[in-house]
Amino acid sequence: MALIVHKYGGTSMGSTERIRNVAKRVAKWVRAGHQIVVVPSAMSGETNRLLGLAKELSDRANPRELDMIASTGEQVSVGLLSIALQAEGMDAVSYAGWQVPVKTDSSFTKARIESIDDKRVRADLAAGKVVVITGFQGVDPEGYITTLGRGGSDTSAVAIAAALKADECLIYTDVDGVYTTDPRVVPEARRLNAISFEEMLEMASLGSKVLQIRSVEFAGKYRVPTRVLSSFTPWDINLEEEAKSGTLISFEEDENMEQAVVSGIAFNRDEAKITVVGVPDTPGIAYQILGKVAEANIDVDVIIQNVSHDGKTDFSFTVHRNDYAKTVELLEKQVLPTLGAAKVVGDTKICKVSIVGIGMRSHAGIAATMFKTLSDESINIQMITTSEIKTSVVIDEKYMELAVRALHKAFGLEGKAAA
Ligand code: ADP
Ligand code: ASP
Ligand code: MG
């Protein structure tokens, strides 16, 4: 008997028919003798619909209220899934985050999980129940409902698995594992049987939305065996086969790993570029600009400072598109007047494309191959950033698909799905 956490994403929960399938799959695992905690997302499109309603009323909605609204999608899901499980003859019980409780900080819309009380869940499991817990949400020290950021149900599931010291966390989704790149953009993308934790962390942080980055961080910190697999296989497939399917996040570098130099390509269309033009090239400039941005709780990603001409330089960086307008306004009002810079210009139509692989540590020339591939396609690189196991470039958004496909090919990632 094992204790296993199952997570089902929005598409997997997208209709009552699909919810019934989820219930049948969970019931199969319970009948095989396992203790199961299920963490579902809201039905597909529901979180967008809910946040859309709020946006119709205000562009500057209070984040606390946004969380109050967005969290209801998952509350509906746990209730429906419990009913479906009960219809399958299971003894199931649903909980909202605050009832467990899943305790978070008070950063509404992007809260971090601080602790999870496992008492209630353990008692239910010991009593033979299937426990269904909302993804994406928690409760702050004031008792206010918080949400964990888009895609946050992955994080709920892995964190709950960590708190319960579960044997495994199975992330069921609408693709059958982690691919060399998003299979919706590159149909030739190949599924990986295993991906190293470090590579998965980079892929997630660089924009692969198959797992929310914090879920990967939790998996690493608490060594939670985590697997991404399909919820669209027939629910009654052989359990042992299902348990080995998909992609395992591996903590051992050589176990089961393929030996590619570049393992995957990630892309991110959520960023915008901002340039402060005509900045005096003197010490402390980066701090004067980015210090103000940090004070406003805005995350900065890629940063570039150009060489100066006549004592003036340009300073560029990227932020999340949601923070773009706020950042430009802040720079114009608070930074330009004291800095004596000429102006602030921005571009929201950019994207960041990254190659990721632990093999890059020991191979020279990988970045050069990336630059040559883009140059052969006449794609202009606006910014570059590298670390030990990744190289990212910022390019015009309209070349994103072309760039990803060309790089996928150049690094030999194409091939048929792994067995
Ligand atoms: P869920 O609703 O189950 O959480 P998501 O839409 O959040 O599902 O994540 C799954 C999606 O992630 C896939 O449908 C796929 O388009 C996308 N994706 C992006 N990069 C990758 C990748 N490298 N491998 C697999 N899927 C990816
Ligand atoms: N329902 C939330 C979202 O759409 C959380 C999740 O799906 O993981 O972002
Ligand atoms: Mg998701």
Side-chain angles (χ1 to χ4, degrees):
M1 182 185 76
L3 197 173
I4 299 167
V5 175
H6 281 201
K7 181 261 173 176
Y8 292 90
T11 320
S12 315
M13 292 289 293
S15 63
T16 47
E17 193 46 44
R18 287 192 175 159
I19 293 175
R20 190 176 290 126
N21 267 309
V22 168
K24 286 182 189 293
R25 191 182 298 276
V26 171
K28 173 181 76 179
W29 282 79
V30 175
R31 291 196 183 103
H34 300 299
Q35 292 185 318
I36 306 290
V37 175
V38 196
V39 180
S41 295
M43 296 170 78
S44 61
E46 183 61 7
T47 310
N48 286 344
R49 187 186 74 84
L50 292 165
L51 293 172
L53 291 174
K55 205 168 169 91
E56 280 176 32
L57 295 172
S58 168
D59 266 345
R60 290 170 178 259
N62 180 330
R64 178 190 183 278
E65 307 310 331
L66 288 177
D67 281 358
M68 182 64 99
I69 297 161
S71 62
T72 61
E74 271 70 12
Q75 194 169 327
V76 170
S77 283
V78 290
L80 289 174
L81 183 54
S82 289
I83 290 171
L85 282 163
Q86 287 159 9
E88 288 302 315
M90 300 283 111
D91 190 0
V93 57
S94 68
Y95 292 114
W98 63 269
Q99 292 174 312
V100 172
V102 175
K103 293 188 181 161
T104 72
D105 64 17
S106 302
S107 309
F108 297 108
T109 76
K110 48 182 173 190
R112 283 180 178 272
I113 295 178
E114 288 181 339
S115 66
I116 297 178
D117 190 340
D118 64 348
K119 265 199 247 61
R120 202 167 199 176
V121 181
R122 281 195 188 284
D124 287 333
L125 290 172
K129 293 183 186 171
V130 182
V131 184
V132 188
I133 303 175
T134 48
F136 185 50
Q137 59 172 267
V139 60
D140 84 348
E142 303 288 329
Y144 297 160
I145 292 173
T146 54
T147 68
L148 309 180
R150 300 306 303 267
S153 297
D154 298 327
T155 303
S156 307
V158 179
I160 288 167
L164 291 167
K165 301 190 178 58
D167 296 288
E168 197 160 6
C169 183
L170 300 180
I171 309 275
Y172 288 90
T173 182
D174 57 4
V175 280
D176 61 356
V178 178
Y179 278 68
T180 46
T181 192
D182 189 339
R184 292 184 208 285
V185 171
V186 182
E188 297 79 21
R190 196 162 44 86
R191 183 176 60 77
L192 303 163
N193 281 327
I195 183 166
S196 75
F197 157 71
E198 284 168 288
E199 286 169 327
M200 192 64 241
L201 198 61
E202 287 285 7
M203 291 282 279
S205 85
L206 295 167
S208 291
K209 291 187 177 143
V210 62
L211 286 178
Q212 199 199 35
I213 180 160
R214 286 188 194 158
S215 70
V216 188
E217 287 168 0
F218 265 103
K221 187 162 175 199
Y222 297 99
R223 286 288 191 269
V224 182
T226 301
R227 183 180 288 276
V228 177
L229 69 172
S230 173
S231 70
F232 288 163
T233 54
W235 67 265
D236 55 355
I237 60 165
N238 176 281
L239 190 142
E240 278 72 38
E241 233 176 79
E242 184 175 317
K244 280 186 291 187
S245 66
T247 304
L248 180 71
I249 298 177
S250 163
F251 301 108
E252 311 292 329
E253 257 188 36
D254 51 5
E255 177 211 327
N256 228 339
M257 298 300 301
E258 299 174 30
Q259 295 303 317
V261 179
V262 171
S263 314
I265 297 172
F267 51 86
N268 181 347
R269 272 174 289 204
D270 296 338
E271 290 184 27
K273 186 173 82 168
I274 294 174
T275 303
V276 188
V277 181
V279 179
D281 195 11
T282 50
I285 287 303
Y287 174 67
Q288 281 188 56
I289 296 173
L290 297 181
K292 282 276 183 258
V293 175
E295 273 170 32
N297 204 12
I298 295 168
D299 291 330
V300 168
D301 184 24
V302 186
I303 303 169
I304 280 196
Q305 179 170 349
N306 285 331
V307 285
S308 65
H309 294 285
D310 310 323
K312 298 269 183 189
T313 183
D314 295 344
F315 190 92
S316 301
F317 58 96
T318 64
V319 294
H320 195 283
R321 278 189 202 178
N322 291 346
D323 291 325
Y324 173 73
K326 191 172 155 190
T327 313
V328 170
E329 189 184 315
L330 176 147
L331 292 172
E332 283 174 345
K333 288 209 177 117
Q334 297 184 36
V335 177
L336 283 192
T338 53
L339 204 62
K343 59 178 176 181
V344 177
V345 293
D347 185 355
T348 53
K349 298 219 164 5
I350 56 149
C351 83
K352 189 173 71 177
V353 177
S354 311
I355 55 173
V356 174
I358 33 183
M360 288 167 74
R361 273 188 196 135
S362 47
H363 286 75
I366 303 303
T369 305
M370 181 185 203
F371 305 149
K372 176 172 190 314
T373 306
L374 296 174
S375 147
D376 288 347
E377 299 292 343
S378 304
I379 299 172
N380 184 38
I381 300 172
Q382 303 177 17
M383 301 168 111
I384 300 170
T385 157
T386 64
S387 77
E388 220 186 5
I389 67 162
K390 70 123 204 270
T391 300
S392 302
V393 295
V394 171
I395 60 171
D396 188 324
E397 182 189 57
K398 67 173 180 272
Y399 300 123
M400 189 205 83
E401 289 199 20
L402 176 63
V404 175
R405 280 169 205 272
L407 291 168
H408 196 263
K409 194 158 187 201
F411 287 105
L413 295 174
E414 296 174 329
K416 45 184 200 315

